């Protein structure tokens, strides 16, 4: 085997990588030995020539190298099978899948040393999301390995155009292997859901909120519940299971509202599904009329330049939600903007409370569910923040 091309780091830039950080930014690179092509696997060495690991190379990206191993090993079919086996062992240790939960994240990109690959398992199907050229170039090998390691009948590929354009490969939204299907039945903590990978958002479901949905269920008994940005109704269904008195779920997408209604019927839950913009809806709700409110909006800050607008948006949204909260209510407020860090988000919620003329106390802080493993210190991967607030 020919020695792969080698990237040499600038002096003083290796420390985070030695401690497990998986990314190399362009400004950390001193020199490139050899002529790696975009998508190739390269070796990464520190300024003194010591091997840190090997990873996918893409000079088009602001992150030209993403490590996938700390060893001097080939990144081939056997490597992918080992990675998948290791990922399965970790999920199995976390109790996934189980009799009551068949939707889980098997591979979480950097957290499973496969940067640019997410694999969500939905019962007897799986969805692979590809976001780097390194993974895209090897997708056939990877899909072979997934089929060999997992008892799946259908493998979907969802490779969003945004990443594909940035990295330089063809986007995809298709059944890559096995039986053609559009809808996959799964269970989440005993709740029956239908996942539609090719017409849904993300890989079809927001698995990252699974544990938070279950927690919301424990706070729902007797409550008047409002689930805003409800998507397929996950929080609303958990609240129904938890014994809520009345449930309203709001989403601006007609498709989402139809899915909420189907899921409610399927699970014998009574949920009033409303197609509306979240802000418009909250502006016209009766003040102090809900005991449990969940707000789980899409990313407001896509990039750093959006930060100020996002801050204002989150602040207003939290203020409106708090106006709708009865005294003694619980507000569960979420942000999935990586650019808004945990401390900033807390300040935003404080400002929202001030704007609404209400007081809140935080009693719980949560992130994504346990199957979303991450290397320590990889703050770039920490996007989801959830605050549980008691409304005074
Ligand atoms: N809470 C959901 C996930 C929410 S994803 C769960 O647990 O599964 C965000 C949702 O917000 C999407 O379903 C999207 O259709 C909806 N959305 C986006 N913009 C919106 C708006 N302005 N008003 C209401 N809903 C909106």
């Amino acid at each position: 085997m020919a020695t792969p091309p080698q990237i040499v780091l600038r002096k003083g830039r290796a420390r985070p990588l030695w401690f497990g950080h998986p990314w190399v930014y362009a400004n950390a690179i001193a020199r490139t030995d050899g002529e790696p092509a975009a998508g190739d696997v390269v070796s990464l060495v520190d300024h003194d020539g010591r091997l840190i690991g090997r990873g996918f190379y893409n000079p088009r990206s602001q992150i030209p190298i993403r490590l996938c191993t700390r060893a001097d090993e080939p990144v081939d079919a056997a490597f992918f099978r080992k990675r998948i086996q290791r990922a399965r062992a970790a999920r199995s240790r976390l109790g996934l899948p189980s009799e009551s939960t068949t939707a889980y994240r098997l591979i979480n990109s950097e957290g499973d040393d496969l940067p640019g690959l997410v694999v969500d398992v939905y019962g007897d199907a799986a969805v692979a999301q590809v976001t780097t050229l390194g993974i895209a170039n090897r997708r056939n090998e990877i899909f072979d390995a997934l089929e060999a390691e997992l008892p799946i009948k259908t493998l979907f590929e969802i490779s969003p155009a945004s990443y594909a354009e940035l990295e330089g490969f063809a986007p995809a939204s298709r059944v890559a292997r096995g039986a053609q299907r559009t809808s996959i039945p799964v269970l989440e903590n005993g709740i029956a859901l239908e996942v539609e990978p090719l017409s849904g958002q993300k890989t079809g479901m927001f698995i990252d909120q699974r544990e938070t949905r279950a927690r919301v269920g424990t706070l729902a008994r007797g409550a008047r519940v409002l689930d805003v940005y409800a998507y397929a109704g996950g929080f609303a269904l958990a609240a129904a299971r938890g014994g809520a008195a009345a449930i309203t779920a709001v989403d601006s997408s007609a498709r989402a509202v139809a899915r909420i209604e189907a899921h409610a019927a399927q699970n014998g839950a009574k949920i009033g599904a409303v197609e509306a913009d979240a802000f418009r809806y909250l502006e016209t709700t009766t003040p102090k009329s809900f005991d449990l409110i969940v707000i789980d909006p899409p990313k407001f800050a896509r990039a750093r330049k959006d930060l100020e607008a996002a801050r204002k948006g989150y602040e207003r949204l939290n203020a409106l939600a708090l106006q709708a909260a009865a005294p003694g209510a619980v507000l569960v407020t979420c942000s999935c903007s990586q650019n808004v860090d945990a401390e900033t988000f807390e300040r935003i919620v404080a400002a929202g409370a001030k704007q609404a003329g209400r007081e809140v106390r935080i009693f719980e802080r949560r992130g994504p569910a346990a199957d979303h493993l991450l290397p320590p210190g990889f703050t770039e991967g920490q996007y989801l923040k959830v605050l549980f607030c008691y409304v005074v």
Side-chain angles (χ1 to χ4, degrees):
M1 190 188 75
T3 346
Q6 175 173 288
I7 308 286
V8 183
L9 283 180
R10 287 167 61 178
K11 210 173 171 61
R13 298 302 294 268
R15 203 181 150 79
L17 289 137
W18 283 124
F19 281 91
H21 197 285
W23 285 357
V24 177
Y25 291 97
N27 64 11
I29 297 173
R31 101 170 176 263
T32 304
D33 296 340
E35 287 175 11
D40 281 357
V41 170
V42 294
S43 291
L44 180 71
V45 300
D46 71 6
H47 196 71
D48 301 316
R50 283 174 298 206
L51 180 78
I52 298 171
R54 304 183 66 193
F56 300 124
Y57 177 69
N58 192 346
R60 285 171 64 139
S61 168
Q62 287 177 345
I63 309 154
I65 302 137
R66 296 167 200 253
L67 293 181
C68 57
T69 175
R70 305 280 161 170
D72 193 5
E73 63 180 337
V75 176
D76 55 11
F79 171 87
F80 290 123
R81 287 190 69 157
K82 270 191 307 186
R83 281 280 177 270
I84 295 164
Q85 286 163 8
R86 200 183 68 175
R88 275 192 92 184
R91 277 35 175 214
S92 155
R93 180 68 181 81
L94 300 171
L96 294 165
S98 70
E99 237 162 65
S100 57
T101 296
T102 61
Y104 68 100
R105 176 150 300 185
L106 172 68
I107 293 183
N108 193 40
S109 200
E110 284 78 7
D112 289 284
D113 291 320
L114 289 169
L117 179 67
V118 158
V119 177
D120 289 339
V121 175
Y122 294 123
D124 63 0
V127 181
Q129 187 184 55
V130 177
T131 54
T132 58
L133 182 63
I135 295 288
N137 282 354
R138 292 164 183 80
R139 61 185 129 190
N140 284 331
E141 251 172 325
I142 293 169
F143 293 171
D144 287 345
L146 285 168
E147 280 194 306
E149 295 295 332
L150 295 172
I152 48 172
K153 295 201 180 93
T154 303
L155 176 63
F156 297 88
E157 177 189 352
I158 311 275
S159 300
S162 50
Y163 292 99
E165 271 161 31
L166 219 64
E167 287 269 319
F169 63 93
S173 178
R174 61 181 181 129
V175 171
R177 301 285 175 89
Q180 287 288 338
R181 284 189 290 173
T182 51
S183 182
I184 313 291
V186 299
L187 287 176
E188 179 181 275
N189 294 315
I191 294 168
L193 301 165
E194 289 287 326
V195 182
E196 298 172 356
L198 298 179
S199 56
Q201 302 185 31
K202 276 199 165 178
T203 65
M205 202 179 144
F206 294 85
I207 294 181
D208 52 358
Q209 292 278 37
R210 179 184 59 244
E211 291 169 3
T212 299
R213 284 190 285 263
R215 178 69 174 118
V216 161
T218 69
L219 296 165
R221 184 149 305 280
R224 294 163 293 172
V225 176
L226 178 61
D227 177 5
V228 190
Y229 302 97
Y231 188 53
F235 281 107
L237 292 158
R241 168 67 61 95
I247 306 167
T248 305
V250 178
D251 201 286
S252 59
S253 145
R255 182 80 201 114
V257 167
R259 294 183 67 195
I260 295 167
E261 284 165 348
H263 283 152
Q266 202 177 340
N267 291 280
K270 207 165 157 266
I271 297 170
V274 180
E275 182 185 332
D277 169 73
F279 284 82
R280 297 294 89 73
Y281 182 85
L282 288 168
E283 276 161 4
T284 54
T285 46
T286 313
K288 303 189 178 178
S289 57
F290 290 99
D291 310 300
L292 176 57
I293 301 177
V294 180
I295 43 178
D296 184 18
K299 258 202 289 233
F300 284 178
R302 302 215 158 261
R304 232 169 247 287
K305 63 171 172 49
D306 308 329
L307 206 58
E308 191 42 35
R311 204 190 52 72
K312 286 215 179 90
Y314 282 124
E315 184 179 318
R316 180 80 190 129
L317 181 62
N318 279 278
L320 288 169
L322 284 168
Q323 281 170 13
V330 168
L331 170 69
V332 179
T333 179
C334 314
S335 164
C336 57
S337 300
Q338 194 272 334
N339 286 305
V340 176
D341 63 30
E343 200 184 323
T344 306
F345 187 51
E346 249 180 65
R347 290 218 189 88
I348 289 170
V349 173
K354 178 100 182 144
Q355 197 185 114
R358 303 294 293 274
E359 264 192 68
V360 298
R361 299 287 183 271
I362 293 170
F363 63 92
E364 207 164 301
R365 297 170 175 81
R366 307 187 68 100
D371 42 357
H372 291 57
L373 302 180
L374 284 183
F378 181 49
T379 51
E380 292 91 334
Q382 297 169 11
Y383 63 102
L384 180 63
K385 297 150 290 282
V386 183
L387 297 174
F388 280 63
C389 306
Y390 177 78
V391 186
V392 179

